[in-house]
Amino acid sequence: MTVDRDSLTELRDLARAFAAERDWGPFHTPKNLAMALTVEAAELAEHYQWLPTGADHELDERKREGIRHELADVLLYLIQLADQSGVDLRAAALEKMELNRLKYPADQVRGDARKYTEY
Amino acid sequence: MTVDRDSLTELRDLARAFAAERDWGPFHTPKNLAMALTVEAAELAEHYQWLPTGADHELDERKREGIRHELADVLLYLIQLADQSGVDLRAAALEKMELNRLKYPADQVRGDARKYTEY
Amino acid sequence: MTVDRDSLTELRDLARAFAAERDWGPFHTPKNLAMALTVEAAELAEHYQWLPTGADHELDERKREGIRHELADVLLYLIQLADQSGVDLRAAALEKMELNRLKYPADQVRGDARKYTEY
Amino acid sequence: MTVDRDSLTELRDLARAFAAERDWGPFHTPKNLAMALTVEAAELAEHYQWLPTGADHELDERKREGIRHELADVLLYLIQLADQSGVDLRAAALEKMELNRLKYPADQVRGDARKYTEY
């Protein structure tokens, strides 16, 4: 047991153990995990749907806690789906950011809502 | 600049810089980021919608790449939304897993599809 | 008051009256309604996420009722969003089916999972 | 063939014929249709994600067409899912509106963002 492990690896291992202890493997197909992920993402979005922007002063303590829990649920399903798919999330994010850098050159899209709309 | 930084912190900082270089801050309200997150989660789910389980042998190279990119997009919006909300994603995931541990005791829900259905 | 009105028009008028009685107009921007629609669609999907196919024999009475209510919620938000957007839902569906007919000629995509996957 | 058929029934029959001509029945399990519905709902939401409200003056012709097509896609999957589930959409919507009427008495929730937030 080390203390300097990377958080994404640490959470992956904890999520693996959690599912294994409950024999939930058979339910955790990539398809089911992807579906569960969209459900949790929508539960997160639900907190914001009637708010102007979701800025902190628009929230109360109950909403802040709900948002924190839903953020966690999305992350946990995301980590499990990446795990089932053999994807290294950090590497994938770095690769995608590089692609985004080429697709949206800063000097062409800066502050431009219309271009960003097509993002 | 260190090489041993935690991946969630590293990606948060890169995403911050990416948005700042493009003056995209005004678009990145929590509400908008939550909406973008559900969109990316659905684009991820789209890859699986007509497949039996999404297991690796059901995929081709183009689909594997698409899945990897969408996993990255979900993670990047999740990190930005947590950042705008002042939430430490790793701490939130650990907190939520502890709550799940109490809610779904292993010896009561083991392999039980019906209880899991209510998860 | 007529008895032979079309259901989509009838429900649109009832939804308009429901929102007007509650002064909910200011919340019902197209953006907010679209967000609420994705939330209800996900709540509907949640009923199926750990089931093999969602066929009737996999459901119990509580789940059937939940599905019926969520189907209704999706329809009601859809009707309100179309209404706010000046879209005639029936005409839009007929137009889209005609486009789908051209895009997916029956003799080319029949029973073909791979082509359908790209649908 | 009658000309006064209800739109929801008419579209259901057309969607049935469209799927039957393509032997797509095996793909159209309730679970798969529910997943496809969330995907289309998110594609609809995508049009609004960086806009202030989605009001007509914020849109251009290309976006209006995209929104119209996505509204149609959501309706068509919704109708097919209700059909597979043996649910009469009009009756379900009327039932749900009656429940909403009891849950949100007009004189208690009028214009009240906080109560509506909990909606």
Side-chain angles (χ1 to χ4, degrees):
Chain A
M1 193 64 176
T2 62
V3 291
D4 59 354
R5 295 200 49 205
D6 187 77
S7 55
L8 286 174
T9 316
E10 173 195 22
L11 294 171
R12 183 203 63 193
D13 290 351
L14 290 170
R16 274 187 195 172
F18 189 90
E21 282 162 21
R22 285 158 186 77
D23 291 341
W24 283 354
F27 298 105
H28 283 190
T29 63
K31 177 170 179 159
N32 287 1
L33 290 170
M35 207 165 176
L37 179 68
T38 62
V39 170
E40 296 301 333
E43 289 181 2
L44 179 54
E46 191 175 14
H47 287 285
Y48 300 105
Q49 67 188 344
W50 309 117
L51 300 180
T53 67
D56 193 68
H57 69 270
E58 300 171 9
L59 312 174
D60 57 22
E61 212 35 62
R62 200 165 64 93
K63 244 175 156 35
R64 276 187 207 100
E65 185 188 69
I67 287 166
R68 199 170 67 242
H69 289 172
E70 301 299 350
L71 285 166
D73 283 334
V74 173
L75 181 59
L76 291 169
Y77 278 124
L78 183 69
I79 284 172
Q80 291 177 89
L81 176 51
D83 192 22
Q84 293 295 326
S85 309
V87 169
D88 177 325
L89 272 179
R90 176 180 170 276
L94 292 175
E95 176 195 4
K96 193 54 167 42
M97 249 188 298
E98 188 52 36
L99 291 173
N100 288 346
R101 218 165 266 127
L102 298 171
K103 198 170 169 190
Y104 308 104
D107 56 355
Q108 285 177 32
V109 301
R110 187 167 294 123
D112 186 331
R114 224 165 58 82
K115 279 199 183 108
Y116 192 58
T117 296
E118 292 155 18
Y119 177 28
Chain B
M1 193 63 176
T2 63
V3 291
D4 60 353
R5 298 200 47 206
D6 187 77
S7 55
L8 286 175
T9 317
E10 173 195 22
L11 293 171
R12 182 202 63 193
D13 290 351
L14 289 170
R16 275 187 193 171
F18 189 91
E21 282 161 22
R22 284 156 187 78
D23 290 341
W24 282 354
F27 298 105
H28 283 190
T29 62
K31 177 170 180 158
N32 287 1
L33 291 170
M35 207 166 176
L37 180 68
T38 62
V39 170
E40 297 300 333
E43 289 180 2
L44 179 54
E46 190 175 13
H47 288 285
Y48 300 105
Q49 67 187 345
W50 310 117
L51 300 180
T53 67
D56 193 68
H57 70 270
E58 299 171 10
L59 312 174
D60 57 21
E61 212 35 63
R62 199 165 63 94
K63 243 175 156 36
R64 276 188 208 99
E65 185 188 70
I67 288 166
R68 199 170 67 241
H69 289 339
E70 302 298 349
L71 284 166
D73 283 335
V74 173
L75 180 60
L76 291 168
Y77 277 125
L78 184 70
I79 284 172
Q80 291 176 89
L81 176 51
D83 192 22
Q84 292 295 325
S85 308
V87 170
D88 177 324
L89 272 179
R90 176 180 169 276
L94 292 175
E95 176 196 6
K96 193 53 168 43
M97 248 187 298
E98 188 52 37
L99 292 173
N100 288 346
R101 217 166 268 126
L102 299 171
K103 197 171 169 190
Y104 308 105
D107 56 355
Q108 285 177 33
V109 300
R110 188 168 293 124
D112 187 331
R114 225 165 60 81
K115 279 197 184 110
Y116 193 56
T117 295
E118 291 155 19
Y119 176 29
Chain C
M1 191 62 177
T2 63
V3 291
D4 59 353
R5 297 200 48 204
D6 187 77
S7 55
L8 286 175
T9 316
E10 173 195 23
L11 293 171
R12 182 203 63 192
D13 290 351
L14 290 171
R16 274 186 194 172
F18 189 90
E21 282 161 21
R22 285 157 186 78
D23 290 341
W24 283 355
F27 297 106
H28 283 189
T29 63
K31 177 171 180 158
N32 287 1
L33 290 169
M35 207 167 177
L37 180 68
T38 62
V39 170
E40 297 301 334
E43 289 180 2
L44 179 54
E46 190 175 14
H47 288 286
Y48 300 105
Q49 68 187 345
W50 309 118
L51 300 180
T53 67
D56 192 68
H57 70 270
E58 300 171 11
L59 311 174
D60 57 22
E61 212 34 64
R62 200 165 63 92
K63 244 174 154 37
R64 277 188 206 98
E65 185 188 69
I67 288 166
R68 198 170 68 242
H69 290 170
E70 301 298 350
L71 284 165
D73 283 334
V74 173
L75 181 60
L76 290 168
Y77 278 125
L78 183 69
I79 284 171
Q80 291 177 88
L81 176 51
D83 192 21
Q84 293 296 325
S85 308
V87 170
D88 177 324
L89 272 179
R90 176 180 170 274
L94 292 174
E95 175 195 7
K96 193 53 169 43
M97 249 188 298
E98 188 52 37
L99 291 173
N100 288 345
R101 217 166 267 126
L102 299 171
K103 197 171 169 189
Y104 308 105
D107 56 355
Q108 286 176 33
V109 300
R110 187 168 293 123
D112 187 331
R114 226 164 59 82
K115 279 197 183 108
Y116 193 57
T117 295
E118 291 155 18
Y119 177 29
Chain D
M1 193 63 176
T2 63
V3 291
D4 61 352
R5 296 201 48 206
D6 187 77
S7 55
L8 286 174
T9 316
E10 172 195 23
L11 293 171
R12 183 203 63 192
D13 290 351
L14 290 170
R16 274 186 195 173
F18 189 90
E21 281 162 22
R22 285 158 186 78
D23 290 341
W24 283 354
F27 297 105
H28 283 190
T29 63
K31 177 171 180 158
N32 287 1
L33 291 169
M35 207 166 176
L37 179 67
T38 62
V39 170
E40 297 301 334
E43 289 180 2
L44 179 54
E46 190 175 13
H47 287 286
Y48 300 105
Q49 66 188 345
W50 309 117
L51 300 180
T53 67
D56 192 68
H57 69 269
E58 299 171 10
L59 312 174
D60 57 21
E61 212 35 63
R62 199 165 63 92
K63 243 173 155 38
R64 276 188 207 98
E65 185 188 68
I67 287 166
R68 198 169 68 241
H69 289 338
E70 301 298 348
L71 284 166
D73 283 333
V74 172
L75 181 60
L76 291 169
Y77 278 125
L78 184 70
I79 284 171
Q80 291 178 88
L81 176 50
D83 192 21
Q84 293 296 325
S85 308
V87 170
D88 177 324
L89 273 179
R90 176 180 170 276
L94 293 174
E95 176 196 5
K96 192 54 167 42
M97 249 188 298
E98 187 53 36
L99 291 174
N100 288 346
R101 217 166 267 125
L102 298 171
K103 198 170 168 190
Y104 307 105
D107 56 356
Q108 285 177 32
V109 301
R110 187 167 293 124
D112 186 331
R114 222 164 61 81
K115 279 198 183 109
Y116 192 57
T117 296
E118 291 155 18
Y119 177 29

